[in-house]
Amino acid sequence: MTTKHMNEMTVEHEASQKEAIRQSLRANILVITGGPGTGKTTIIRAVVDIFRRWERAVLLAAPTGRAAKRLAESTGHEAKTIHRLLEVSPSEGFKFQRNQDNPLECDMLIVDECSMVDLVLMNSLLKAVHPASHLLLVGDVDQLPSVGAGNVLRDMIASGIVPVTRLNAIFRQAADSSIISNAHRINQGQMPETPPDADDFFLFVKQEPDEAAELLVDIVQKRLPLKFGLHRFDDIQVLSPMYSGSTGVSNLNLILQQALNPPGRKAERRLGGRVFRVGDKVMQTVNNYDKNVYNGDIGRITAMDSEGQTLTVSIDGAPVIYDFLETDELAHAYAISVHKSQGSEYPCIVMPVLTQHYLLLQRNLLYTAVTRAKKLVVMVGTRRALVIAIKNNKVANRHTALDWRLKH
């Protein structure tokens, strides 16, 4: 890269950001990792702008549909899921059309939320990258690892073979956010701060799980809409560490559905042991390429046709029709697991943190949950449970040998 091109970078970028941008243009492959507020999105946007000015082809991708949508919104450039980018073919056993024999046509490929990418998908992705292309992998290595096999981002960094830029500084515009500062405190093994005058990070103390569940419903149904003007469905997302128990995903969905969308004159149908009702908040749980909906997409049931045996879900404003037999792809989404929230952002997250979740109380799970919120975090539970989570920094050991293979 010439001095002229380096000077094209705007003065708004801090020194660490400028260096990361330079590195991404010099290196054929680069990993950029950092927590919230450290400038990852700003760097992606700058690299995209530079390649546009150079009239070079740049492709953007992310593991999930919601993450791809966020990436597109933040850059003003089209972004696809990795499966879409690799041109998956459902009719051919979900094989990818893009591979080493038919590589992606681009000068730069940027992949965001790489902590979510599992070993198998990363293998397919790397095969489809032309050796002459630049590859920029961006993610937060301290978040939960992928649901699928492997711990790719962590292993790539641990190998010492792949160039890595770590972003540690929290920029001025993010420093005033208690969400961001507390996320970094949690990541460093410190308790989050919840002073009386806080306006975006709260802890409501409840010892008993049943009482915590009852309070959580009241917070979502009444307190947050009244105090902050938040929409019960569109702005607030309940996250839980696990599925079982009073404050687990399964029970919270039942009691939140009863509170927020109770039975009455709305059409409903019991399918697969669950009651689906017009107005329900639901999540797509698998990728469905025929319907153009993906694992993690959230919408509302807007219609139900008992005669035609279908229900309609509005996802991002588009109607998606499901046969009743296809509703096994849907789950209620008043509450979802922290794992399912990866790659998404919500104006407000509400999360129970109790010792009954001790099996899953881990620092990276708590950190991942907090970093899903843009404006407001509300926790319901005990300080003891928070301490347990923050002290438990033992990341589940995944025997991948990827870092060893990269070294050798």
Side-chain angles (χ1 to χ4, degrees):
M1 184 173 65
T2 66
T3 302
K4 173 181 176 293
H5 288 137
M6 285 187 184
N7 289 337
E8 286 178 350
M9 294 180 217
T10 60
V11 294
E12 287 90 0
H13 297 127
E14 301 283 351
S16 60
Q17 290 179 319
K18 287 183 179 179
E19 183 54 34
I21 296 166
R22 289 188 180 99
Q23 282 286 94
S24 68
L25 302 178
R26 288 174 180 150
N28 269 47
I29 180 171
L30 177 68
V31 170
I32 294 179
T33 186
T38 56
K40 298 189 298 296
T41 301
T42 303
I43 291 167
I44 292 174
R45 193 182 299 123
V47 172
V48 170
D49 288 345
I50 289 170
F51 271 76
R52 277 174 164 172
R53 286 203 294 270
W54 291 355
E55 297 183 351
R56 303 284 183 87
V58 58
L59 295 176
L60 303 181
T64 67
R66 292 181 71 86
K69 184 182 177 186
R70 280 177 50 210
L71 184 58
E73 289 171 348
S74 64
T75 61
H77 190 85
E78 182 187 21
K80 298 180 179 180
T81 64
I82 296 174
H83 285 80
R84 278 288 184 200
L85 183 78
L86 298 181
E87 298 175 17
V88 66
S89 176
S91 62
E92 298 181 41
F94 294 98
K95 288 183 179 178
F96 294 122
Q97 304 303 302
R98 292 289 181 175
N99 49 44
Q100 60 266 48
D101 300 319
N102 182 29
L104 296 165
E105 298 171 7
C106 65
D107 298 293
M108 167 68 83
L109 170 62
I110 303 174
V111 186
D112 197 13
E113 296 285 0
C114 281
S115 63
M116 298 176 63
V117 183
D118 63 36
L119 199 58
V120 175
L121 185 57
M122 184 62 81
N123 179 45
S124 298
L125 178 67
L126 294 180
K127 285 180 178 177
V129 179
H130 193 281
S133 299
H134 290 260
L135 175 63
L136 178 58
L137 302 173
V138 183
D140 187 344
V141 73
D142 295 314
Q143 287 188 23
L144 289 168
S146 59
V147 175
N151 204 342
V152 179
L153 188 62
R154 186 177 294 272
D155 285 348
M156 291 178 79
I157 293 171
S159 73
I161 298 300
V162 181
V164 177
T165 295
R166 292 179 182 270
L167 303 173
N168 296 311
I170 304 175
F171 292 107
R172 286 186 299 273
Q173 62 269 32
D176 293 335
S177 166
S178 295
I179 296 172
I180 290 175
S181 62
N182 278 334
H184 285 273
R185 288 181 64 84
I186 290 167
N187 200 32
Q188 293 160 11
Q190 303 171 19
M191 282 287 285
E193 295 178 335
T194 55
D197 60 345
D199 60 0
D200 62 356
F201 202 106
F202 301 92
L203 171 63
F204 290 86
V205 176
K206 282 290 180 185
Q207 302 290 337
E208 295 300 321
D210 288 345
E211 292 179 4
E214 185 179 342
L215 175 58
L216 186 146
V217 171
D218 186 57
I219 287 170
V220 174
Q221 184 182 20
K222 298 175 182 176
R223 299 192 188 194
L224 291 178
L226 285 172
K227 183 174 177 60
F228 295 99
L230 295 173
H231 192 280
R232 295 175 177 87
F233 291 87
D234 298 338
D235 297 332
I236 304 169
Q237 183 60 58
V238 176
L239 305 181
S240 180
M242 60 195 302
Y243 282 86
S244 61
S246 304
T247 54
V249 170
S250 299
N251 186 59
L252 288 175
N253 268 315
L254 287 174
I255 60 178
L256 284 165
Q257 181 192 42
Q258 181 67 27
L260 303 180
N261 191 33
R265 296 183 178 180
K266 295 178 181 177
E268 64 176 53
R269 183 72 175 257
R270 180 173 287 276
L271 299 163
R274 299 167 297 167
V275 175
F276 288 96
R277 186 175 297 132
V278 170
D280 273 346
K281 184 177 182 178
V282 292
M283 171 185 276
Q284 175 76 18
T285 60
V286 295
N287 292 333
N288 187 320
Y289 302 99
D290 295 329
K291 296 184 187 298
N292 197 31
V293 288
Y294 304 96
N295 186 7
D297 284 350
I298 290 178
R300 298 274 303 277
I301 298 177
T302 56
M304 194 171 292
D305 181 356
S306 296
E307 187 175 332
Q309 300 280 289
T310 64
L311 59 80
T312 303
V313 180
S314 176
I315 298 177
D316 292 330
V320 183
I321 299 175
Y322 294 82
D323 291 333
F324 284 166
L325 294 176
E326 295 176 314
T327 54
D328 59 345
E329 295 185 6
L330 295 173
H332 288 95
Y334 298 100
I336 63 174
S337 70
V338 177
H339 286 81
K340 279 288 187 184
S341 74
Q342 284 181 270
S344 299
E345 276 188 346
Y346 313 96
C348 170
I349 69 110
V350 180
M351 182 180 178
V353 185
L354 292 125
T355 52
Q356 74 168 179
H357 300 145
Y358 74 96
L359 288 174
L360 287 173
L361 285 179
Q362 299 171 347
R363 186 186 299 177
N364 61 350
L365 181 137
L366 185 62
Y367 173 74
T368 299
V370 168
T371 55
R372 299 307 90 208
K374 291 190 286 187
K375 297 178 181 177
L376 189 62
V377 170
V378 179
M379 293 187 175
V380 181
T382 67
R383 295 188 183 278
R384 181 166 178 263
L386 278 175
V387 170
I388 291 171
I390 290 166
K391 285 186 175 179
N392 182 9
N393 196 31
K394 184 180 179 182
V395 178
N397 195 13
R398 296 188 173 190
H399 301 284
T400 67
L402 177 60
D403 54 344
W404 181 87
R405 294 182 70 175
L406 287 172
K407 289 176 185 175
H408 294 83

